[in-house]
Amino acid sequence: MSDIRDVIAYPVTPFTADGIDTTRLAGLVKRLVADGVHAMAPLGSTGELAYLDDAEFDTVVDTTIAAVDGAVPVLVGVSAMTTAETVRRARYAQQAGADAVQVVPVSYWKLNDREITEHFRAVSDAIDIPIMAYNNPATAGVDMSPELLVSMFESIEHVTMVKESTGDLRRMQRITELSDGLLPFYNGSNPLVLDALRAGATGWCTSAPNLVAQPCLDLVAAVRAGEQEKAQALYDRLNPLLEFIVAGGLATTVKAGLELLGESAGDPRRPLLPLDSAGRDRLQAILDRLASGA
């Protein structure tokens, strides 16, 4: 497997009235690869995984992997409400050529650590590619502690990475401490990216490259090169966008931004709604400021 690191782009899923717009999805993925992102992660929160049926899931996987064409690693989100469906999706992703899968435990009932562990073990037993354990209690309703994540890393064969999206830097530091630096963590909280990278994050899982890829790449490169003043300046420019897209909902805001930039991806799927006019005006102002270099 190629190394999954630095800027991991999470594309939106473009829709038409009939389902997935595979032409626009392939075009977006190819554009992100050409822009220079280091890995592709279809079917995250930005890709509206929670609102797709099985056939649509399979279509997004196939379209994305074909469009990437081996240029960068592909990390497929496979999360579902049941273990059986998560396993089905993970197997499909592997068969289609994914380099790794991402799993966030999603449940109507609050899961205990034993249930979470067995959920991940079932996925691991079904595939032969790495699993990124994704902690995002704000959307999934399940919170995995650093202690649990490190325990699964040590006891479940294919759990090899963690994406931490709580926005709590102490959790990332605790993962490093408990695993003696052996468990790579990835930042999934856009506004925390600079601190996370400085703390040793292996990569930044982000939807921002859909709208502005180069500043994201430049930010990570500056941190890696130890150019802290440059990194801070880039972050200060980017942060209004990062905060806006998170606060307004990733699929809703990123799709609105793409439309404002002349690259329509359709509306988000109901119950999500398109960004309202006030939000679009605010987003346009943020994008204009980024484009001007101000």
Side-chain angles (χ1 to χ4, degrees):
M1 182 195 71
S2 300
D3 189 23
I4 295 176
R5 59 180 176 82
D6 295 342
V7 178
I8 300 103
Y10 282 65
V12 298
T13 299
F15 295 125
T16 67
D18 300 321
I20 308 300
D21 189 331
T22 55
T23 299
R24 283 181 171 163
L25 175 58
L28 174 60
V29 169
K30 289 177 180 179
R31 192 257 291 168
L32 287 166
V33 169
D35 285 343
V37 301
H38 303 102
M40 195 72 56
L43 298 167
S45 302
T46 307
E48 300 178 72
L49 170 60
Y51 306 116
L52 304 186
D53 63 27
D54 285 349
E56 291 172 330
F57 171 90
D58 296 353
T59 295
V60 171
V61 172
D62 293 340
T63 302
T64 302
I65 290 174
V68 169
D69 195 23
V72 296
V74 177
L75 169 69
V76 176
V78 299
S79 306
M81 188 69 73
T82 67
T83 299
E85 180 59 14
T86 306
V87 165
R88 189 207 76 82
R89 289 176 169 180
R91 283 175 169 158
Y92 190 91
Q94 175 175 301
Q95 292 166 1
D99 295 280
V101 297
Q102 174 181 281
V103 177
V104 55
V106 183
S107 182
Y108 178 86
W109 297 105
K110 183 178 180 180
L111 302 178
N112 61 40
D113 286 359
R114 181 171 66 93
E115 290 167 328
I116 294 168
T117 298
E118 290 310 308
H119 178 70
F120 275 91
R121 194 183 310 280
V123 178
S124 178
D125 288 347
I127 60 175
D128 298 310
I129 57 177
I131 298 169
M132 176 182 281
Y134 174 22
N135 190 45
N136 191 354
T139 57
V142 176
D143 191 4
M144 295 184 287
S145 68
E147 288 77 10
L148 174 60
L149 290 164
V150 173
S151 172
M152 292 196 298
F153 167 65
E154 292 173 344
S155 64
I156 301 176
E157 180 180 5
H158 295 114
V159 175
T160 62
M161 306 171 275
V162 169
K163 176 183 174 184
E164 173 55 63
S165 295
T166 59
D168 185 347
L169 187 63
R170 293 170 299 178
R171 287 175 175 248
M172 300 181 187
Q173 294 166 331
R174 182 66 173 155
I175 288 167
T176 297
E177 175 188 331
L178 289 170
S179 70
D180 293 326
L182 297 176
L183 175 54
F185 71 86
Y186 295 73
N187 175 60
S189 173
N190 278 314
L192 190 69
V193 57
L194 183 56
D195 288 340
L197 289 169
R198 286 172 170 168
T202 299
W204 176 19
C205 300
T206 177
S207 58
N210 287 278
L211 305 179
V212 285
Q214 195 59 52
C216 299
L217 296 164
D218 291 344
L219 171 58
V220 173
V223 174
R224 300 297 191 224
E227 299 172 339
Q228 298 301 337
E229 289 187 10
K230 180 179 180 181
Q232 186 67 57
L234 285 163
Y235 174 78
D236 290 343
R237 281 186 57 217
L238 265 174
N239 195 45
L241 176 66
L242 301 180
E243 291 187 343
F244 182 88
I245 61 177
V246 171
L250 295 174
T252 294
T253 54
V254 173
K255 284 189 169 182
L258 285 169
E259 185 175 350
L260 291 171
L261 293 171
E263 191 176 348
S264 177
D267 290 337
R269 181 160 284 178
R270 302 287 293 266
L272 301 180
L273 293 174
L275 193 63
D276 62 23
S277 59
R280 289 170 64 87
D281 289 346
R282 173 63 181 146
L283 180 54
Q284 183 70 71
I286 292 171
L287 292 172
D288 288 346
R289 185 170 183 180
L290 277 169
S292 72

